[in-house]
Amino acid sequence: MHTTMLKPAGRSAAQVARDVISLFKLRIGVLIMITALVGMAVTPGPAPSVAQALVLALSVLVASAAAGAFNQYVEHETDRLMKRTSRRAFVTGALPHHPAWLVMMAVLLAVAVAAAWWVLNAVAALHVFLGAFFYGVVYTLWLKRRTAMNIVIGGLAGSFAVLAGAAAVDPSLGPLPWLLALVLFLWTPPHFWSLAIANRADYAQAGVPMLPVVVGTERAARIVFLSTLALFLASLAPLAFGAGPLYGVGALLGGLHFVRKSWQLARRPERSTAMGSFFASLVQLSLLLLAASMDALLR
């Protein structure tokens, strides 16, 4: 990769490094990595070694980073139209929008999938790949600008991380990891739609058909509430398939908190309640994952 692409004139190596790291959407990547580790923890079977857990974590994180960078590369024209994304490195020119970045992203994904295949197994590697593919290609390229259901199908990216972790222990994938993957699938729409309601003007200006742009804020808020109810009910289902009481407490507390905040959003669809619902979704998922992990450790 040409040095002028990585280090534009007048910028220090530290500044360029920060800009490159910003491409990878590491906050999202770390969350996805944690879901993979939880999938590994809750799956019955022989305890994975430290090396296997480390490879799982890094392969999911690196694959997610590659997909996040690809999203920013593809979205750089749309990102300049939205206040929330207008300071991204490809938008401002801090990093040149050069095709060589695609080579880096492909190499990162290939290394992540190969490491998972070598150290874990082919099924885990397949799910590592599918997570990145669904976010980078299915969501970003195929769906985001075409349908308000973009984030619903794109939400499968998080589900594949859970299945990658479970497959690392047992490639046959029993009911508990499938149910946790369903929870992740149902979590993504109300989480992201809450944020989309708060930033509806941005998406409308950029011409992105997010749900509140297509159906209006009030209807979108009601859909968020109904989606949160479905998520809450689904999050209780693992209790019938081996999840213990600690998991139940986490699912109940986090789920009820999210339901309450999404109900407030449905009653008053405005930015403040939308952000309240968005942050409640993070609390809900955090409690769920923490409770699932503790439950597995104490099993």
Side-chain angles (χ1 to χ4, degrees):
M1 206 174 283
H2 199 280
T3 55
T4 58
M5 188 194 80
L6 286 178
K7 190 177 183 299
R11 293 176 61 77
S12 69
Q15 288 173 317
V16 173
R18 285 194 295 269
D19 289 330
V20 172
I21 291 171
S22 74
L23 296 179
F24 298 141
K25 298 187 175 184
L26 289 182
R27 283 182 295 181
I28 297 174
V30 169
L31 180 60
I32 292 174
M33 178 188 74
I34 291 170
T35 65
L37 291 172
V38 171
M40 174 180 271
V42 303
T43 302
S49 67
V50 173
Q52 288 175 317
L54 185 60
V55 168
L56 172 70
L58 290 177
S59 64
V60 169
L61 181 62
V62 171
S64 172
F70 180 76
N71 173 270
Q72 290 201 44
Y73 183 89
V74 171
E75 295 280 296
H76 80 289
E77 291 292 349
T78 302
D79 283 347
R80 73 176 69 252
L81 301 174
M82 299 176 61
K83 183 179 180 181
R84 185 172 64 89
T85 57
S86 62
R87 302 304 301 168
R88 287 178 172 174
F90 286 140
V91 177
T92 63
L95 294 175
H97 190 260
H98 192 286
W101 289 108
L102 296 174
V103 177
M104 181 197 72
M105 298 165 201
V107 169
L108 286 175
L109 180 58
V111 168
V113 173
W117 196 323
W118 182 40
V119 177
L120 303 173
N121 56 63
V123 178
L126 174 63
H127 286 97
V128 170
F129 169 77
L130 288 175
F133 177 79
F134 264 76
Y135 184 73
V137 177
V138 175
Y139 170 67
T140 301
L141 286 184
W142 295 348
L143 299 177
K144 187 171 181 178
R145 295 177 184 82
R146 290 184 172 90
T147 172
M149 299 300 287
N150 46 24
I151 200 62
V152 176
I153 302 169
L156 283 169
S159 301
F160 285 123
V162 175
L163 297 177
V169 177
D170 181 5
S172 64
L173 296 175
L176 190 54
W178 279 111
L179 285 171
L180 286 177
L182 174 64
V183 169
L184 263 293
F185 174 69
L186 293 175
W187 175 83
T188 305
H191 162 76
F192 199 89
W193 285 337
S194 296
L195 186 63
I197 289 172
N199 295 284
R200 180 184 181 279
D202 262 5
Y203 287 112
Q205 180 175 326
V208 179
M210 286 299 172
L211 186 70
V213 175
V214 174
V215 305
T217 299
E218 292 186 1
R219 186 178 175 192
R222 292 194 297 271
I223 293 173
V224 166
F225 174 64
L226 294 174
S227 300
T228 306
L229 282 178
L231 165 66
F232 175 54
L233 293 174
S235 71
L236 299 178
L239 291 169
F241 292 89
L246 273 178
Y247 172 85
V249 171
L252 192 66
L253 293 178
L256 288 175
H257 177 61
F258 192 9
V259 167
R260 182 172 70 90
K261 289 295 187 178
S262 66
W263 170 242
Q264 292 174 353
L265 171 60
R267 292 184 63 192
R268 280 191 304 113
E270 55 193 42
R271 179 174 174 81
S272 61
T273 52
M275 292 306 296
S277 179
F278 171 76
F279 288 122
S281 72
L282 297 174
V283 171
Q284 188 263 348
L285 185 62
S286 299
L287 281 174
L288 194 77
L289 295 176
L290 178 62
S293 300
M294 293 177 62
D295 193 64
L297 288 172
L298 297 174
R299 187 185 303 153

